[in-house]
Amino acid sequence: MTESTSFKNAFPFQQDVLALPVIDLDSASNWYCEKFGMQEVSRPSKKVPTVLLERDGVQIGFAITGGDPTQDGAAILVQNIKEMQTELEARGVETGNSRIDERDGEKLQVFFVVAPDGLCYYFHEPIEST
């Protein structure tokens, strides 16, 4: 991770960015720590087995909920999206569909990652007006 790239915030596609559905917590934790540069911060004692990971103060959690990971994921707001994409690719992450989106009158540089567990990530950064 370089000083100029960071996670700024994360938003769920479905209900909860702290309980994205996975089948195996250990595999999820290992993959996201290695590939997204996250760190495991806790495994809360809950009815549903959960692991919380963090990068740059932004937490994403995974839980064994029985939900379909291919129908969920998160939008991750980042700083310096081009360097973020380069960093992830250097870690062996396949990125795709790099493009410019427009939402609510704001232009965003974006790319997608589909993790091995099926969760989809929409990495985005606003494009500064000149």
Side-chain angles (χ1 to χ4, degrees):
M1 175 175 70
T2 67
E3 292 292 320
S4 62
T5 62
S6 62
F7 284 21
K8 304 301 280 179
N9 209 340
F11 310 92
F13 288 167
Q14 298 288 332
Q15 296 179 354
D16 190 353
V17 77
L18 297 178
L20 298 173
V22 294
I23 294 170
D24 183 305
L25 292 180
D26 292 330
S27 293
S29 180
N30 291 337
W31 193 87
Y32 289 98
C33 288
E34 178 184 340
K35 302 299 186 180
F36 280 17
M38 304 188 84
Q39 295 182 330
E40 186 172 318
V41 293
S42 70
R43 291 193 184 220
S45 298
K46 295 183 174 183
K47 290 170 81 173
V48 176
T50 304
V51 62
L52 296 178
L53 305 180
E54 182 176 290
R55 176 175 171 164
D56 307 314
V58 175
Q59 289 192 349
I60 299 175
F62 304 91
I64 300 176
T65 63
D68 181 357
T70 65
Q71 300 301 310
D72 211 338
I76 301 175
L77 175 63
V78 299
Q79 177 178 310
N80 202 335
I81 194 161
K82 292 204 181 292
E83 283 190 29
M84 181 64 68
Q85 188 170 12
T86 299
E87 175 191 327
L88 293 176
E89 289 171 350
R91 292 174 180 264
V93 176
E94 186 176 326
T95 66
N97 205 9
S98 184
R99 65 181 193 221
I100 295 174
D101 282 355
E102 189 168 334
R103 188 177 35 190
D104 299 326
E106 181 177 46
K107 289 188 177 184
L108 306 167
Q109 182 68 49
V110 308
F111 69 88
F112 291 83
V113 170
V114 177
D117 53 27
L119 291 166
C120 181
Y121 295 90
Y122 175 86
F123 285 84
H124 66 286
E125 178 181 43
I127 296 173
E128 298 290 326
S129 299
T130 55

